[in-house]
Amino acid sequence: MDQNIGTELVKLLLQVVTADDVVTPVERIYLDAVALRLGGEQAVEMVRRGLDEGGPLPAPNLALLIPHRSEVLREAARIGAVDGIHRDELDMVKTIGGLLT
C-alpha cells in the first residue's frame, strides 16, 4: 500500500476512533503508530490536527480504499478493539464494510 492510500486509510481510522466520541490514550498511541506506518509524518500531523484542534475530520476517499478492502477492514477492526469492544466503533466497521463493496 502506497503512502497516498495509507493516508486515506488513516482518515478512515480517525472516523472509527471518534465514532464513540471518546479517543482513549491507548487509541491515540495506536493511531499515531499506524499513521506513521501507513502515511508517514504527514499522516501523523493530520491525526494531531484532527484530534488536538477539533473541527471536522478529513473525509477519506473510499474509492481509493475499495481495492484494499480486506486490509482496510482488518485495520479498522484492530483500532476499534484496541481499547475494548464498543458498539459505536463496531457499527462503524460494519458500515465501512458495506461502503467498500
Side-chain angles (χ1 to χ4, degrees), residues 17-40:
V17 299
T18 59
D20 63 356
D21 296 319
V22 175
V23 180
T24 66
V26 172
E27 286 176 318
R28 181 60 186 266
I29 291 167
Y30 187 85
L31 184 57
D32 284 344
V34 169
L36 184 59
R37 176 173 53 88
L38 295 174

Side-chain angles (χ1 to χ4, degrees), residues 3-4 16 24 43 49 76 91 96:
Q3 255 188 345
N4 291 331
V16 174
T24 66
R49 280 192 317 268
D91 288 345
I96 292 166

Side-chain angles (χ1 to χ4, degrees), residues 13-73:
L13 297 177
L14 270 167
Q15 304 292 329
V16 174
V17 299
T18 59
D20 63 356
D21 296 319
V22 175
V23 180
T24 66
V26 172
E27 286 176 318
R28 181 60 186 266
I29 291 167
Y30 187 85
L31 184 57
D32 284 344
V34 169
L36 184 59
R37 176 173 53 88
L38 295 174
E41 285 296 329
Q42 288 180 331
V44 173
E45 183 58 32
M46 179 184 61
V47 167
R48 289 185 181 140
R49 280 192 317 268
L51 296 180
D52 296 341
E53 296 174 13
L57 297 176
N61 182 338
L62 295 177
L64 288 178
L65 296 176
I66 289 172
H68 306 279
R69 184 177 192 270
S70 295
E71 188 171 355
V72 169
L73 291 175

Side-chain angles (χ1 to χ4, degrees), residues 9 12-13 16 71-81 93 96:
L9 178 50
L12 186 68
L13 297 177
V16 174
E71 188 171 355
V72 169
L73 291 175
R74 187 172 38 254
E75 291 289 349
R78 281 184 190 144
I79 204 159
V93 173
I96 292 166

